[in-house]
Amino acid sequence: MRDWIGALAATLFGLGLAVVGGRLVVYDELLENGGETVVAEITASGSVRRSSGGYVDYIRYWFTDPKGRVRSGQSSGYAGQVGETILVRYASRFPGIHRVSGEGAGLGYRWRWVLVAIGLLFLFAGVRWLLLLRAGRDNSGRR
């Protein structure tokens, strides 16, 4: 039973990393190579306490896309006053995908390809392990 749990955990862990890394890759591609910049207005700002201690600033903003729909978002690590304007980058084909212009240099974006690679490694290893268990063998080849 422990082998099944381990194989399932490896598979799910790999799937999670691959999805998170893949999302960052796709979002970055859509925003950098097919994105538009627009002026947005800050609708709220503040700071919240981190679980690790200290505080982190955040803002909430809104902008109108080319079809006239109001889009809103939030971003941490930024400070501003309500009513101030900021630049926001959005994907022209998918305006629901947006971020504060210049954002994306965070740890997740820098390591996005590594996340995908490690995720795929765990995913394939977990699936192989599950298939071996289903076939009635463990990793040593015993039945």
Side-chain angles (χ1 to χ4, degrees), residues 119-142:
L120 290 175
L121 179 71
F122 271 90
L123 178 63
F124 290 134
V127 168
R128 174 148 168 76
W129 192 3
L130 284 170
L131 292 173
L132 287 172
L133 289 171
R134 184 172 177 230
R137 294 181 245 134
D138 62 4
N139 287 339
S140 63
R142 292 179 287 164

Side-chain angles (χ1 to χ4, degrees), residues 17-96:
L17 278 182
V19 166
V20 168
R23 178 186 170 276
L24 292 172
V25 168
V26 169
Y27 276 29
D28 198 48
E29 179 66 25
L30 287 171
L31 291 167
E32 292 305 316
N33 295 326
E36 302 287 333
T37 303
V38 66
V39 175
E41 182 179 330
I42 296 175
T43 59
S45 68
S47 62
V48 293
R49 187 168 172 80
R50 291 183 181 184
S51 60
S52 60
Y55 290 86
V56 63
D57 293 324
Y58 72 90
I59 58 168
R60 290 192 178 110
Y61 59 87
W62 71 270
F63 67 96
T64 306
D65 70 17
K67 292 184 178 180
R69 292 189 184 128
V70 174
R71 305 285 180 169
S72 63
Q74 73 177 35
S75 189
S76 60
Y78 293 92
Q81 299 296 317
V82 173
E84 287 182 345
T85 58
I86 58 170
L87 293 179
V88 170
R89 190 118 175 117
Y90 71 93
S92 54
R93 291 183 12 208
F94 304 100

Side-chain angles (χ1 to χ4, degrees), residues 97-116:
I97 298 173
H98 49 84
R99 66 180 179 212
V100 174
S101 190
E103 193 175 41
L107 185 63
Y109 282 97
R110 286 193 306 256
W111 289 86
R112 63 189 179 270
W113 287 107
V114 174
L115 291 174
V116 170

